Amino acid sequence: FAGQNMIYTLFNVCLTTYLLFLGIDPIKSATVMLIVKIWDAVNDTMFGVIFDSIKFKSGKKYLPWIRISTILIPIATVLTFIIPSNSSQAVKLGWFAIAYILWDTAYTLCDVPIFGLITTMTDNQEERTSLMTTGRIYANIGVIIAMICGYVLPTEMVGMSFSTAAILIVVVALINMIIICVTGKEHSLKAAEMEESFSLRRMFSYLVHNKYLLVYYLGMFLYSGLNTAAAVLQFACFYLFNNAMIATLVGALSFAPAVLISFVMPKLLGRFDKYKLF
């Protein structure tokens, strides 16, 4: 979780500014991002069905996908951040579109299995909650590292290129991601075998008829759609205050509550029902 969130945060805090400084038309790059996000909405559901249907000879359900994605995500990330600066607008845009689609697909190969892996580690719901909470703590640590590196290294004070900063973050992220590939074990295979298989039609039908899930996703849709701060923060600080380093301070202030709550969440979940707390 630390490794994958470092890379995810790298895209959140650096991608827009990187593309602007690369000279790519922001309307065209935004169009590519929109198309990829539409693909992301489709492939999350599509790969959920694929994960259920494909059986590996090892008998493992999630670890093989995590291992595959641990190779693909860093490669796709580096490809996205090494677009030749002296190439034409068309080449830059085409390179970005292909690399970004590859990255998004590779990330899906990791994101679904890494959460699903919890169900094969234990049948005990309290242990699963504890594992997920611990995972969130390390995810937040990964986000903090990537935010600091992403906001500080490419600034005028340090002078590191976005490409070099991205490669550095990818290397650290890869080290963290490899650990679960080597040491991870799927203990409770019975839990995975007992899970139901879902078709696309059945999943959408379930969503339509579940009022609470619809409300939840509507909230997520509005939150994500209006959350433009991370994408333009570095760019805004550079032009408004002539100092991109201010983005580090703003990022730290906005992220501090999430870090604090992640450490007390286990105790809160022990005292309050998850649904009521949410």
Side-chain angles (χ1 to χ4, degrees), residues 1-14 107 133-151 153 165-166 168-177 251 255 258-259 262-263:
F1 277 115
Q4 75 166 70
N5 276 275
M6 285 181 66
I7 290 177
Y8 190 83
T9 303
L10 169 67
F11 275 76
N12 272 354
V13 303
C14 289
Y107 196 88
T133 305
T134 304
R136 290 301 86 200
I137 292 173
Y138 280 98
N140 287 333
I141 291 172
V143 170
I144 293 170
I145 293 171
M147 283 180 67
I148 293 173
C149 293
Y151 282 143
L153 297 181
L168 179 63
I169 292 172
V170 165
V171 170
V172 178
L174 180 60
I175 293 171
N176 281 276
M177 292 169 71
F255 196 70
V259 176
S262 66
F263 284 101

Coordinates of all heavy atoms in Angstrom, one line a residue, residues 1-14 107 133-151 153 165-166 168-177 251 255 258-259 262-263:
F1 N 0.8 -1.2 0.0 CA 0.0 0.0 0.0 C 0.9 1.3 0.0 O 0.5 2.3 -0.6 CB -0.9 0.0 1.2 CG -2.2 -0.8 1.0 CD1 -2.4 -1.9 1.8 CD2 -3.1 -0.4 0.0 CE1 -3.6 -2.7 1.6 CE2 -4.3 -1.2 -0.2 CZ -4.5 -2.3 0.6
A2 N 2.0 1.2 0.7 CA 2.9 2.4 0.7 C 3.4 2.7 -0.7 O 3.4 3.8 -1.1 CB 4.0 2.2 1.7
G3 N 3.9 1.6 -1.3 CA 4.5 1.7 -2.6 C 3.5 2.2 -3.7 O 3.8 3.2 -4.4
Q4 N 2.3 1.5 -3.8 CA 1.4 1.9 -4.8 C 0.8 3.3 -4.6 O 0.6 4.0 -5.6 CB 0.3 0.9 -4.9 CG -0.8 0.9 -3.8 CD -2.0 0.1 -4.1 OE1 -2.0 -1.1 -4.2 NE2 -3.1 0.8 -4.4
N5 N 0.7 3.7 -3.3 CA 0.2 5.1 -3.1 C 1.2 6.1 -3.3 O 0.8 7.3 -3.6 CB -0.4 5.1 -1.6 CG -1.8 4.6 -1.5 OD1 -2.8 5.4 -1.8 ND2 -2.0 3.4 -1.2
M6 N 2.5 5.8 -3.2 CA 3.5 6.7 -3.6 C 3.4 7.1 -5.1 O 3.4 8.2 -5.5 CB 4.9 6.2 -3.3 CG 5.3 6.2 -1.9 SD 6.9 5.5 -1.6 CE 7.9 6.7 -2.4
I7 N 3.2 6.0 -5.9 CA 3.1 6.2 -7.4 C 1.7 7.0 -7.7 O 1.7 7.9 -8.6 CB 3.2 4.9 -8.1 CG1 4.6 4.4 -8.0 CG2 2.7 5.0 -9.6 CD1 4.8 3.0 -8.6
Y8 N 0.7 6.6 -7.0 CA -0.6 7.2 -7.3 C -0.6 8.7 -6.9 O -1.1 9.5 -7.7 CB -1.7 6.5 -6.5 CG -3.1 6.9 -6.8 CD1 -3.8 6.4 -7.9 CD2 -3.8 7.9 -6.1 CE1 -5.1 6.7 -8.3 CE2 -5.1 8.3 -6.4 CZ -5.7 7.7 -7.5 OH -7.0 8.1 -7.8
T9 N 0.1 9.0 -5.8 CA 0.2 10.4 -5.4 C 1.1 11.2 -6.4 O 0.9 12.4 -6.6 CB 0.8 10.5 -4.0 OG1 -0.1 9.7 -3.1 CG2 0.9 11.9 -3.5
L10 N 2.1 10.6 -6.9 CA 3.0 11.2 -7.9 C 2.2 11.7 -9.0 O 2.4 12.8 -9.5 CB 4.0 10.2 -8.4 CG 4.9 10.6 -9.6 CD1 5.8 11.8 -9.3 CD2 5.7 9.4 -10.1
F11 N 1.2 10.9 -9.5 CA 0.4 11.3 -10.6 C -0.6 12.4 -10.2 O -0.8 13.4 -10.9 CB -0.4 10.1 -11.1 CG 0.3 9.3 -12.2 CD1 1.3 8.4 -11.8 CD2 0.0 9.4 -13.5 CE1 2.0 7.7 -12.7 CE2 0.7 8.7 -14.5 CZ 1.7 7.8 -14.1
N12 N -1.1 12.3 -9.0 CA -2.0 13.4 -8.5 C -1.4 14.7 -8.3 O -2.0 15.8 -8.7 CB -2.6 12.9 -7.1 CG -3.8 12.1 -7.3 OD1 -4.3 11.9 -8.4 ND2 -4.3 11.5 -6.2
V13 N -0.1 14.8 -7.8 CA 0.5 16.1 -7.5 C 1.4 16.6 -8.6 O 1.6 17.8 -8.6 CB 1.3 16.0 -6.2 CG1 0.4 15.5 -5.0 CG2 2.5 15.1 -6.3
C14 N 1.9 15.8 -9.5 CA 2.8 16.2 -10.5 C 2.4 16.2 -11.9 O 2.9 17.0 -12.7 CB 4.1 15.4 -10.4 SG 5.1 15.7 -8.9
Y107 N -2.3 -0.2 -13.0 CA -2.7 0.1 -11.6 C -4.0 -0.7 -11.1 O -4.1 -1.1 -10.0 CB -2.9 1.6 -11.4 CG -3.0 2.0 -10.0 CD1 -1.8 2.4 -9.3 CD2 -4.1 2.1 -9.2 CE1 -1.8 2.8 -8.0 CE2 -4.1 2.5 -7.9 CZ -3.0 2.9 -7.3 OH -3.0 3.2 -6.0
T133 N -6.8 -1.3 8.4 CA -6.4 -0.1 9.1 C -4.9 0.1 9.0 O -4.4 1.2 8.8 CB -6.9 -0.1 10.6 OG1 -8.3 -0.3 10.6 CG2 -6.6 1.2 11.3
T134 N -4.2 -1.0 9.3 CA -2.7 -0.9 9.2 C -2.3 -0.5 7.8 O -1.4 0.3 7.6 CB -2.1 -2.3 9.6 OG1 -2.6 -2.6 10.9 CG2 -0.6 -2.2 9.6
G135 N -3.0 -1.1 6.8 CA -2.7 -0.8 5.4 C -2.9 0.7 5.1 O -2.1 1.3 4.3
R136 N -4.0 1.3 5.7 CA -4.2 2.7 5.5 C -3.1 3.6 6.1 O -2.7 4.6 5.6 CB -5.5 3.1 6.1 CG -6.8 2.6 5.4 CD -6.9 3.0 4.0 NE -6.2 2.1 3.1 CZ -5.8 2.5 1.9 NH1 -6.0 3.7 1.4 NH2 -5.1 1.6 1.1
I137 N -2.6 3.1 7.2 CA -1.5 3.9 7.9 C -0.3 3.9 6.9 O 0.3 5.0 6.7 CB -1.1 3.2 9.2 CG1 -2.2 3.4 10.2 CG2 0.2 3.8 9.7 CD1 -2.0 2.7 11.5
Y138 N 0.1 2.7 6.4 CA 1.3 2.7 5.5 C 1.0 3.4 4.2 O 1.9 4.0 3.5 CB 1.7 1.2 5.2 CG 2.5 0.6 6.3 CD1 1.9 -0.1 7.3 CD2 3.8 0.9 6.4 CE1 2.6 -0.6 8.4 CE2 4.6 0.4 7.5 CZ 4.0 -0.4 8.5 OH 4.7 -0.9 9.5
A139 N -0.3 3.4 3.7 CA -0.7 4.1 2.5 C -0.5 5.6 2.7 O 0.0 6.3 1.8 CB -2.2 3.8 2.2
N140 N -0.9 6.1 3.9 CA -0.7 7.5 4.2 C 0.8 7.9 4.3 O 1.2 9.0 3.9 CB -1.4 7.8 5.5 CG -2.9 7.9 5.4 OD1 -3.4 8.1 4.3 ND2 -3.6 7.6 6.5
I141 N 1.6 7.0 4.8 CA 3.1 7.2 4.8 C 3.6 7.3 3.4 O 4.4 8.2 3.1 CB 3.8 6.1 5.6 CG1 3.4 6.1 7.1 CG2 5.3 6.2 5.4 CD1 4.0 4.9 7.9
G142 N 3.1 6.4 2.5 CA 3.5 6.5 1.1 C 3.1 7.8 0.5 O 3.9 8.4 -0.3
V143 N 1.9 8.3 0.8 CA 1.4 9.5 0.2 C 2.3 10.7 0.7 O 2.6 11.6 -0.1 CB -0.1 9.8 0.7 CG1 -0.5 11.2 0.3 CG2 -1.0 8.7 0.0
I144 N 2.6 10.7 2.0 CA 3.4 11.8 2.5 C 4.8 11.9 1.8 O 5.3 12.9 1.4 CB 3.6 11.6 4.1 CG1 2.3 11.8 4.8 CG2 4.7 12.6 4.6 CD1 2.3 11.4 6.2
I145 N 5.4 10.7 1.7 CA 6.8 10.7 1.0 C 6.7 11.2 -0.4 O 7.5 12.0 -0.8 CB 7.3 9.2 1.0 CG1 7.6 8.8 2.5 CG2 8.6 9.1 0.2 CD1 8.0 7.3 2.6
A146 N 5.6 10.7 -1.1 CA 5.5 11.2 -2.5 C 5.1 12.7 -2.6 O 5.6 13.3 -3.5 CB 4.4 10.3 -3.2
M147 N 4.3 13.2 -1.7 CA 4.0 14.6 -1.7 C 5.2 15.4 -1.4 O 5.4 16.4 -2.1 CB 2.9 14.9 -0.6 CG 1.5 14.4 -1.0 SD 0.3 14.8 0.3 CE 0.3 16.6 0.2
I148 N 6.0 15.1 -0.5 CA 7.2 15.8 -0.2 C 8.2 15.8 -1.4 O 8.6 16.9 -1.8 CB 7.9 15.3 1.1 CG1 7.1 15.5 2.3 CG2 9.3 15.9 1.3 CD1 7.6 14.8 3.6
C149 N 8.4 14.6 -1.9 CA 9.3 14.5 -3.1 C 8.7 15.2 -4.3 O 9.4 16.0 -5.0 CB 9.6 13.1 -3.4 SG 10.5 12.2 -2.1
G150 N 7.4 15.0 -4.5 CA 6.8 15.6 -5.7 C 6.7 17.1 -5.7 O 6.8 17.8 -6.7
Y151 N 6.5 17.7 -4.5 CA 6.4 19.1 -4.4 C 7.7 19.8 -4.3 O 7.9 20.9 -4.7 CB 5.5 19.4 -3.1 CG 4.0 19.3 -3.4 CD1 3.2 18.8 -2.3 CD2 3.4 19.6 -4.6 CE1 1.8 18.7 -2.5 CE2 2.1 19.5 -4.8 CZ 1.3 19.0 -3.7 OH -0.1 18.8 -3.9
L153 N 11.2 18.4 -4.9 CA 12.3 18.1 -5.8 C 12.3 18.9 -7.1 O 13.3 19.4 -7.6 CB 12.4 16.6 -6.1 CG 12.7 15.7 -4.9 CD1 12.8 14.2 -5.3 CD2 14.0 16.1 -4.2
A165 N 12.8 13.1 -10.7 CA 12.0 13.0 -9.4 C 11.1 11.8 -9.5 O 10.9 11.0 -8.5 CB 11.2 14.2 -9.2
A166 N 10.5 11.6 -10.6 CA 9.5 10.4 -10.8 C 10.3 9.1 -10.7 O 9.8 8.2 -10.1 CB 8.8 10.6 -12.2
L168 N 13.0 8.5 -9.1 CA 13.4 8.3 -7.7 C 12.3 7.8 -6.9 O 12.4 6.8 -6.1 CB 13.9 9.7 -7.1 CG 14.4 9.6 -5.7 CD1 15.6 8.7 -5.5 CD2 14.7 11.1 -5.2
I169 N 11.1 8.4 -7.0 CA 9.9 7.9 -6.3 C 9.5 6.5 -6.7 O 9.2 5.7 -5.9 CB 8.7 8.9 -6.6 CG1 9.0 10.3 -5.9 CG2 7.4 8.3 -6.0 CD1 8.0 11.3 -6.3
V170 N 9.7 6.2 -8.0 CA 9.3 4.8 -8.5 C 10.2 3.8 -7.9 O 9.8 2.7 -7.5 CB 9.4 4.8 -10.0 CG1 9.4 3.3 -10.5 CG2 8.2 5.5 -10.6
V171 N 11.5 4.1 -7.7 CA 12.5 3.2 -7.2 C 12.1 2.8 -5.7 O 12.1 1.7 -5.3 CB 13.9 3.7 -7.2 CG1 14.9 2.8 -6.4 CG2 14.4 3.8 -8.7
V172 N 11.8 3.9 -4.9 CA 11.5 3.7 -3.5 C 10.1 2.9 -3.4 O 10.0 2.0 -2.6 CB 11.4 5.0 -2.8 CG1 10.9 4.8 -1.3 CG2 12.7 5.8 -2.8
A173 N 9.2 3.3 -4.3 CA 7.9 2.6 -4.3 C 8.0 1.1 -4.7 O 7.4 0.3 -4.1 CB 7.0 3.3 -5.3
L174 N 8.9 0.8 -5.6 CA 9.1 -0.5 -6.1 C 9.6 -1.4 -4.9 O 9.2 -2.6 -4.8 CB 10.1 -0.6 -7.3 CG 10.4 -2.0 -7.8 CD1 9.1 -2.7 -8.3 CD2 11.4 -1.8 -9.0
I175 N 10.6 -0.9 -4.2 CA 11.1 -1.6 -3.0 C 10.0 -2.0 -2.1 O 10.0 -3.1 -1.5 CB 12.2 -0.7 -2.3 CG1 13.4 -0.6 -3.3 CG2 12.6 -1.4 -1.0 CD1 14.4 0.4 -2.7
N176 N 9.1 -1.0 -1.8 CA 8.0 -1.3 -0.9 C 7.0 -2.3 -1.5 O 6.5 -3.2 -0.7 CB 7.3 0.0 -0.6 CG 8.0 0.8 0.5 OD1 7.8 0.6 1.7 ND2 8.8 1.8 0.0
M177 N 6.8 -2.3 -2.8 CA 5.8 -3.1 -3.4 C 6.3 -4.6 -3.5 O 5.5 -5.5 -3.5 CB 5.4 -2.6 -4.8 CG 4.6 -1.3 -4.7 SD 4.5 -0.5 -6.4 CE 3.3 -1.6 -7.2
G251 N -0.1 21.2 1.3 CA -0.3 19.8 1.2 C -0.2 19.2 2.6 O -1.1 18.3 2.9
F255 N -3.3 17.4 4.6 CA -3.2 15.9 4.8 C -3.1 15.5 6.3 O -3.3 14.4 6.6 CB -2.0 15.4 4.0 CG -2.0 13.9 3.8 CD1 -3.0 13.3 3.0 CD2 -1.1 13.1 4.5 CE1 -3.0 12.0 2.8 CE2 -1.1 11.7 4.3 CZ -2.1 11.2 3.4
A258 N -5.8 13.4 8.1 CA -5.9 12.0 7.6 C -4.9 11.1 8.3 O -5.1 10.0 8.6 CB -5.8 12.0 6.1
V259 N -3.7 11.7 8.5 CA -2.6 11.0 9.1 C -3.0 10.7 10.6 O -2.8 9.6 11.1 CB -1.3 11.7 9.1 CG1 -0.2 11.0 9.8 CG2 -0.9 11.9 7.6
S262 N -5.8 8.1 11.1 CA -5.4 6.7 10.7 C -4.8 6.0 11.9 O -5.0 4.7 12.0 CB -4.4 6.7 9.5 OG -3.2 7.3 9.9
F263 N -4.1 6.7 12.8 CA -3.5 6.1 14.0 C -4.5 5.7 15.1 O -4.3 4.8 15.9 CB -2.4 6.9 14.5 CG -1.1 6.9 13.6 CD1 -0.9 8.0 12.7 CD2 -0.2 5.9 13.7 CE1 0.3 7.9 11.9 CE2 0.9 5.8 12.9 CZ 1.2 6.9 12.0

